[in-house]
């Protein structure tokens, strides 16, 4: 769905995710979301009667679904899918963004977790759900590439955690070396786990 095909509600959820990933929850004001989404001001109350909390939670869930949908797309883009290739593709979206646009953006799920998880239970739940959806997609992909089901769940958590942590370090350092290290160090471990190895 292109930006022009999205309705005002979908545009506001997308815009909230984009602003949260760049500014954090506190810096993503409702007026900013409306302006970014080119939506009518009155539509906020109509679509999000729960206010900013509802909008942030929906943006976080959207981000989890987006990340999960990317996993099979990465797999389709590989001539011969491997666990290390999947990890490299996941990291590559960040290194490409940082090369193109600088280090302003991060993951909206991580930003919402840091900004709200202790104070807003519904946001913590939305973030947990988003991470669960993403790790579930990675787990399924790993199993499909021959990683035993008993290991795939734990390795999927490690993959998502490593990527998220490396994104934070890359933004702090203004350098992609942490992302590159994740691929270099974790990729061989993932490949060795296929067929019961590792």
């Amino acid at each position: 769905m292109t930006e022009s095909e999205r309705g005002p509600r979908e545009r506001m959820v997308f815009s909230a995710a984009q602003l949260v990933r760049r500014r954090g929850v506190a810096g993503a004001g409702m007026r900013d979301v409306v302006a970014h989404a080119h939506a009518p001001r009155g539509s906020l109350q109509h679509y999000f009667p729960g206010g900013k909390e509802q909008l942030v939670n929906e943006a976080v869930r959207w981000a989890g679904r987006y990340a999960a949908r990317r996993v099979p797309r990465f797999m389709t883009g590989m001539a011969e899918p491997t666990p290390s290739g999947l990890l490299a593709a996941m990291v590559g979206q960040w290194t490409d963004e940082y090369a193109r646009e600088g280090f302003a953006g991060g993951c909206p799920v991580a930003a919402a977790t840091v900004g709200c998880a202790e104070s807003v239970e519904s946001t913590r739940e939305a973030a947990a759900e988003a991470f669960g959806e993403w790790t579930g997609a990675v787990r399924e992909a790993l199993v499909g590439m021959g990683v035993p089901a008993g290991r795939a769940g734990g390795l999927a958590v490690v993959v998502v955690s490593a990527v998220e942590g490396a994104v934070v370090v890359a933004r702090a350092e203004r350098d992609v070396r942490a992302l590159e290290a994740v691929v270099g160090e974790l990729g061989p471990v993932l490949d060795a786990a296929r067929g019961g190895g590792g």
Side-chain angles (χ1 to χ4, degrees), residues 74-92:
F74 289 140
M75 301 288 290
T76 302
M78 291 185 263
E80 186 177 330
T82 62
S84 63
L86 173 59
L87 176 63
M90 291 170 65
V91 166

Side-chain angles (χ1 to χ4, degrees), residues 63-159:
R65 289 189 304 272
Y66 175 82
R69 285 192 309 263
R70 297 277 299 179
V71 172
R73 289 184 197 155
F74 289 140
M75 301 288 290
T76 302
M78 291 185 263
E80 186 177 330
T82 62
S84 63
L86 173 59
L87 176 63
M90 291 170 65
V91 166
Q93 70 183 352
W94 290 105
T95 56
D96 292 349
E97 176 183 326
Y98 293 152
R100 233 182 14 255
E101 302 172 19
F103 293 87
C107 174
V109 182
T113 301
V114 170
C116 297
E118 283 302 307
S119 59
V120 184
E121 179 63 15
S122 65
T123 302
R124 186 204 60 74
E125 290 172 357
E129 182 182 316
F131 282 129
E133 190 156 358
W134 188 14
T135 57
V138 173
R139 179 195 176 283
E140 187 176 313
L142 292 175
V143 169
M145 290 182 284
V147 174
R151 285 204 67 199
L155 287 172
V157 171
V158 169
V159 165

